[in-house]
Amino acid sequence: MANIALKNLTYTYPEAQAPTLNHVQLTFKAHQFTLLTGPSGTGKSTLLKLMTGLLNLPSDQGTISYDGQPLSQIDPTMRAGQVALMFQNPNQQFAMDTVENELIFALENRRVQPDKIAEKITTALAFVEISNLRSRELNQLSGGEKQKVALAVIVAMDSDVILLDEPFASVDPAARTSLLKRLVQLRDDAGKTIILADHDLTDYATIVDQVVRITADRQLTTMPTADWPNLFAAFAKTNHSDQLWPLPTEPQTPLFRFNQLGLKQGQHELLRTTDLMLLQHHNTLITGPNGSGKSTLFESLVRLTTYDGQITYLNNDIKTLRRKRYARQVALLFQDAETQFLNITVAEELAQSKKYAYGNYFTSTRIALAMTQLNLTGHEDQVIYTLSEGQKKKLQILLMLIMQSPVLLMDEPLKGLDLKSVRALVSLLKSTIAVTKQTLIIISHQLTGLTPLIDYHLRFDHQQLTYREAIE
């Protein structure tokens, strides 16, 4: 098992004006669980990719060593045994069609004996508690289920060092707690070294060995344990577990009405026939376990998938509405920000959203102010795909707000965002909808900072969709 030494590490992306990491000096000790924090876009993902060799570190820009051996001198075919990385976006990591085939692919690349592969797959899936997903197609899984599969791949590879980049961004709270216990078990029982980058700091206070922060000058610093309480205080579960919302009362204006609505994925029933209303000019939060059907519900509301029963929008059956007109009324913010972009640069995306906006609230001045509020100023000429995942998410949301659709369905809008960004985003949403009167319907597992925006809460679980006062 390896100590990992970063010595005078500097990294600058091509054509960037300043280094992403600047003369970093730090050693990660073997058998420890390290939490890596820092604002969106400060280089956490870059650091993890450098530590696996996925980004090439110029020879004159410092070294990364495993037990004294420079990473550059470790044969690429042997690196997977030394260090493995779980990407922030699991879609960028998968190469095969099914869960089982993805694990087979990873183990074959590790040169595992063929007669041992099936057992390793069974063990890894059971460890992450997703044995039921073994035969499923990856493109039919929810975002949280994909993250669990990616973790199972890492477990199966059995590398000495495990690097995880926002591994729980789309995972429900119960599964998150369970998976964290599994990581602790890998450290304590298997002697793994774990370095995990996260913005949602819930549950880490009692399990990590150290907290490392990326500073404003792009270096790393180990946070004294005496400072941990202040860091973790905002993420205490008590901050939102006692939140209560009212139950809807009649009469109120229905935005959507479900009449005997049923949802399926193949032969798997997601939602039993349900009668329900979603109310206009009220923001509704939808929670529930991974794979329960939340994203499928959103796809039904925008006519991207089939469903049983009837959905009406402002008392009109959505199947009778012209697609183009309806798409201007009800917009969907995808869970994966990259799937929303159509252009190359940030400025081009902003110009397109403004051109096709439903209303004129977002003037050039307001867009510039929003860019500043979201800490995106200065990125206008940047290629979108070179932004951090958090920066992509903030841009994606701003683009959809500029479009000013009367209804915005938001699937995991806080994914990859630090707490400061969450608060800036919620502030922008509140000030915008106060004027535009948009209705927000939000799926989110991360609740810290979000609850002030919410009027009603729906729980999607056990094939039922019901209004609840409290978070479970």
Side-chain angles (χ1 to χ4, degrees), residues 203-265:
D203 292 330
Y204 288 114
T206 60
I207 64 174
V208 296
D209 299 298
Q210 67 174 349
V211 177
V212 172
R213 300 198 70 172
I214 296 185
T215 62
D217 55 0
R218 301 307 177 102
Q219 297 183 4
L220 299 184
T221 181
T222 301
M223 179 178 289
T225 53
D227 295 340
W228 288 17
N230 289 335
L231 176 68
F232 293 117
F235 297 89
K237 289 184 177 180
T238 54
N239 288 347
H240 54 72
S241 61
D242 57 353
Q243 173 72 49
L244 294 177
W245 289 281
L247 300 177
T249 56
E250 301 244 20
Q252 295 196 52
T253 305
L255 179 68
F256 292 104
R257 189 187 295 271
F258 303 158
N259 298 313
Q260 293 295 291
L261 177 65
L263 300 176
K264 292 182 179 179
Q265 188 175 79

Side-chain angles (χ1 to χ4, degrees), residues 33-69:
F33 190 151
T34 298
L35 174 64
L36 180 64
T37 71
S40 300
T42 53
K44 297 183 298 299
S45 298
T46 298
L47 175 62
L48 296 181
K49 289 177 181 177
L50 285 167
M51 291 172 68
T52 60
L54 290 176
L55 288 177
N56 183 48
L57 180 65
S59 58
D60 61 345
Q61 298 297 303
T63 61
I64 301 171
S65 300
Y66 288 79
D67 274 343
Q69 184 179 16

Side-chain angles (χ1 to χ4, degrees), residues 141-182:
L141 300 181
S142 71
E145 288 172 328
K146 289 177 181 177
Q147 286 190 298
K148 294 177 186 177
V149 172
L151 182 57
V153 172
I154 297 295
V155 170
M157 290 176 68
D158 197 28
S159 304
D160 293 339
V161 178
I162 299 175
L163 309 179
L164 304 115
D165 195 356
E166 297 279 349
F168 311 123
S170 300
V171 174
D172 65 80
R176 174 193 174 92
T177 299
S178 175
L179 292 174
L180 275 172
K181 290 179 180 178
R182 298 297 187 179

